[in-house]
Amino acid sequence: MSRTAQYAGYVALVVTPLALLAGAFVAPPALTTGRATLGGGVVLVGGLAAVTERERALDASTASGFDRRDARDAAAVVAGAIAAYLLSVHAGLGPVVGSAAVGLAAGLAPTDGDVAAYCGSFVGMASPAVFPGVAPLALAAGVSGLAFVAARDAFGGVGGKLGTLALFGCATTVALTGFEYASGTALPWTMAPEIVAVAVVGAVVTVLLSVRLGLGAVVGSAAVGLVAGLAFPALLPAAGATLATVAFCASFVGMSSTERLADERQVAVAGVLCGLVFVFVSPAFVGAGGKLGTVAFVSAVSTVGLAELYERLRRRLR
């Protein structure tokens, strides 16, 4: 993509998480000191990583025109979105299982479009209360597809990037068409301990599957999502759906490369943040596809920022 498109992709990946966090700040319940501290800390540390990323994202040596590969990837995003939406809504599998099934099928297929299709599947997790049919969903997926190819060189290897691009497409479509987000209530902070525990396990298990067992990021994440989406609701009828969603969300943290999150300890730290941010943003952008990935992206970027801040302080103290 051209340098202008690269910049647009980078901006999409920076603005979308900020919009989600801002929505959480203004949504009920009333802002408390603890919520303000969590949100402000994430913005500051994540901002450090975003500034550091800017040069890599806008590397002129990687700039190029829109080519056949870009067109295939954009089309794969749309196809993945429609497939996941049909499985989720029309087949009644629900958004977690629908998206995970598309990701697993794409990851095991003998093609190179698995990442793009998985990105699209996150658009397909949108609630029919937001996009009541395939046509508006396809429009959102088209926007995400263009963002996907534009942001190819930005935040590479950071978990949750695909979902963030999906939320960008959904949020942009909502803003341009007048569709509205679904109604919902904030999760109680009393659920935070179990949510954080599930998030840590989901993130670490994804790393074990994708890196240690060599299954790859897409298959590792989709496998965690599929198992969680089937098992949690069956075993825990009251909170199962929420915890399945948390596990799937955290699996996107586990998609981070070892160049970004070096080992399971850093992934676990990002998993803790993922659980906390999941609760924090629960009343914002309800029903939008890609919200889970954006939560994971915020958490992974913040952890990368914390690691960079630690290294800078360590060098100064030498």
Side-chain angles (χ1 to χ4, degrees):
M1 297 298 287
S2 68
R3 189 169 173 82
T4 300
Q6 285 181 328
Y7 185 76
Y10 169 78
V11 169
L13 286 169
V14 171
V15 170
T16 304
L18 289 175
L20 179 61
L21 292 169
F25 271 116
V26 301
L31 193 65
T32 63
T33 302
R35 291 183 69 226
T37 301
L38 173 63
V42 165
V43 170
L44 289 174
V45 178
L48 171 63
V51 170
T52 305
E53 182 70 19
R54 187 175 182 276
E55 287 188 13
R56 182 187 306 191
L58 304 180
D59 185 357
S61 66
T62 62
S64 62
F66 188 87
D67 57 22
R68 187 173 298 177
R69 177 195 176 193
D70 295 327
R72 286 199 306 266
D73 283 345
V77 171
V78 176
I82 293 173
Y85 186 82
L86 292 176
L87 289 174
S88 170
V89 177
H90 295 278
L93 297 181
V96 171
V97 174
S99 172
V102 169
L104 194 60
L108 295 175
T111 63
D112 59 357
D114 57 334
V115 176
Y118 203 30
C119 176
S121 79
F122 305 143
V123 179
M125 293 180 74
S127 168
V130 180
F131 299 132
V134 171
L137 179 91
L139 175 60
V143 175
S144 293
L146 293 176
F148 177 89
V149 298
R152 195 183 299 280
D153 299 310
F155 294 97
V158 178
K161 172 182 172 179
L162 303 182
T164 304
L165 295 170
L167 181 59
F168 173 77
C170 289
T172 300
T173 302
V174 167
L176 293 177
T177 60
F179 286 112
E180 296 182 355
Y181 297 109
S183 58
T185 57
L187 289 171
W189 281 97
T190 53
M191 288 189 67
E194 57 191 300
I195 285 175
V196 167
V198 169
V200 171
V201 172
V204 172
V205 169
T206 302
V207 170
L208 295 176
L209 293 174
S210 63
V211 178
R212 308 305 177 192
L213 296 183
L215 297 180
V218 171
V219 172
S221 168
V224 168
L226 193 59
V227 171
L230 294 173
F232 273 119
L235 297 174
L236 303 169
T242 297
L243 295 180
T245 305
V246 171
F248 197 36
C249 177
S251 78
F252 308 144
V253 171
M255 293 179 73
S256 300
S257 68
T258 53
E259 288 76 20
R260 296 294 192 167
L261 298 179
D263 52 34
E264 284 83 353
R265 289 175 299 177
Q266 288 193 3
V267 171
V269 171
V272 171
L273 280 176
C274 181
L276 295 174
V277 174
F278 184 93
V279 179
F280 177 71
V281 303
S282 58
F285 286 38
V286 177
K291 178 179 174 180
L292 301 183
T294 309
V295 170
F297 184 73
V298 167
S299 307
V301 168
S302 297
T303 305
V304 170
L306 283 171
E308 291 174 353
L309 183 60
Y310 171 77
E311 283 299 318
R312 292 186 184 188
L313 291 174
R314 192 170 64 87
R315 286 194 296 266
R316 285 194 174 188
L317 294 174
R318 278 183 175 179

